[in-house]
Amino acid sequence: MNQISFDFEDGRSRRGRPGENHNGGHRLFFALCPPAAVERQAASIADDYGKTFSLSAKPRLTTLHMTIIGIDDYEELPEDAVFAARQAGATVESAPIAITFDRIMSFRREGKARPLVLYGEGGLKPLTRLHVQLGVGMHNAGLRHNISRDFTPHMTLLYDCKTVPPARLDTPVSWTASEFLLIHSLLGKTEYRIIDRWPLLG
C-alpha cells in the first residue's frame, strides 16, 4: 500500500489527545451514530439516572455517538488533515455491526466532570477491528494512527461531577450500525458537522 505523507505538525494541531475537552478549536474523529429510537431510549435512561443520582447535567442527545477513533484537535481545521482522514475512511472493509450496551457507569477523570456512559461487549470484536482498520488507514495517510490497546466502545450520555456506580441495564441499548462517519466537532459549542460517511457493507 502506498503511503501518503503530509506535514500536520505545523502549529495548527493542538497538543496531545483528541479525547480531551477544550474551549474553542476543532476536533476530527470517526464515529457511529445511533438511530432516533436509540436516542430516545438513551434519553430515557439518562433522565432516570439523572433523577436517581441527582445529576445536574442534561443528556447531550444532539451529539450522541460512539467514537471509533479520534484523529486530532486543531486551532484551525486543516484541509489536508480532512483529505487524509477521508482517504483513511475509504480503506475500511466491514460488515454492519450489531452493538449492544447493557451497562452504565461513570468513567473516572481526574479533576473534571465525569462522563456517564453506556457500554458493553456486544459487538466488541468487530468494533475493535474497525478501530484498528481506521488507525492503520490514518497512519498510511500520514495522520497519527491513535490505535489504543484500551479501546472501550461506549456512548457518553452526559458529563457530571457526581459519580454513578456501575450497573446493568434492565433493557439493553442495541442497534445495528450500517455506516460510520467522519465528524468535525466545534469544541466548546456542542456542535457536530458530518464531513463524510461510508457504508458498512461486508
Side-chain angles (χ1 to χ4, degrees), residues 50-123:
K51 291 175 180 176
T52 300
F53 292 92
S54 300
L55 305 180
S56 58
K58 301 299 181 183
R60 314 181 322 151
L61 298 182
T62 57
T63 55
L64 197 63
H65 68 278
M66 200 210 85
T67 299
I68 295 297
I69 191 167
I71 298 172
D72 215 334
D73 292 351
Y74 307 91
E75 295 287 352
E76 297 180 2
L77 189 64
E79 291 184 6
D80 47 7
V82 173
F83 178 79
R86 279 180 157 145
Q87 289 212 319
T91 65
V92 166
E93 296 181 1
S94 173
I97 300 174
I99 300 166
T100 297
F101 293 142
D102 59 0
R103 281 165 278 181
I104 188 169
M105 70 174 294
S106 294
F107 279 175
R108 294 182 180 179
R109 300 174 77 205
E110 293 297 329
K112 297 181 179 180
R114 298 179 177 184
L116 177 65
V117 307
L118 303 177
Y119 70 107
E121 295 188 357

Side-chain angles (χ1 to χ4, degrees), residues 1-6 8 83-84 87 137-143:
M1 181 180 295
N2 294 328
Q3 178 167 331
I4 300 169
S5 180
F6 297 110
F8 299 131
F83 178 79
Q87 289 212 319
M138 287 162 56
H139 174 74
N140 289 336
L143 296 162

Side-chain angles (χ1 to χ4, degrees), residues 128-145:
T128 301
R129 284 196 297 268
L130 180 57
H131 172 81
V132 172
Q133 279 192 65
L134 284 169
V136 171
M138 287 162 56
H139 174 74
N140 289 336
L143 296 162
R144 303 178 185 184
H145 58 71

